[in-house]
Amino acid sequence: MSVAALIRNEDSCVYISAKEASMRLGVSQNTLRHWRYTGLRDDLLPYKSRIDRRVVYKEDDVENFKKHYLFQ
């Protein structure tokens, strides 16, 4: 895991970049982008729109999505 990919916000949650999320989920960044723009996975994998002008995801949400909704 890239240390630079982790971001702590004022709500004390850990956020990861879209690149890091795509690597953890085993999908391309384009797939994540498609899910964001179409809203296909918003209920299962919400994202924080911007932190420092980047799209980020809560680390816990990514891990829960991976555990419960992806075939391993």
Side-chain angles (χ1 to χ4, degrees):
M1 171 182 17
S2 169
V3 175
L6 297 179
I7 301 168
R8 286 200 186 274
N9 201 8
E10 64 277 352
D11 58 4
S12 73
C13 292
V14 176
Y15 292 91
I16 59 174
S17 68
K19 181 178 180 179
E20 180 72 22
S22 71
M23 290 188 318
R24 289 186 187 193
L25 295 174
V27 299
S28 72
Q29 289 184 61
N30 284 335
T31 297
L32 283 182
R33 187 176 300 117
H34 175 74
W35 289 351
R36 281 195 310 270
Y37 290 134
T38 61
L40 284 175
R41 303 290 189 263
D42 283 350
D43 55 335
L44 305 174
L45 187 62
Y47 68 95
K48 179 122 174 124
S49 59
R50 303 279 180 213
I51 291 181
D52 294 334
R53 297 173 44 159
R54 292 187 288 181
V55 172
V56 294
Y57 294 84
K58 282 186 182 178
E59 184 178 40
D60 291 341
D61 289 341
V62 172
E63 293 303 320
N64 287 334
F65 183 82
K66 181 179 177 181
K67 189 183 308 179
H68 294 101
Y69 301 104
L70 291 182
F71 296 105
Q72 308 229 347

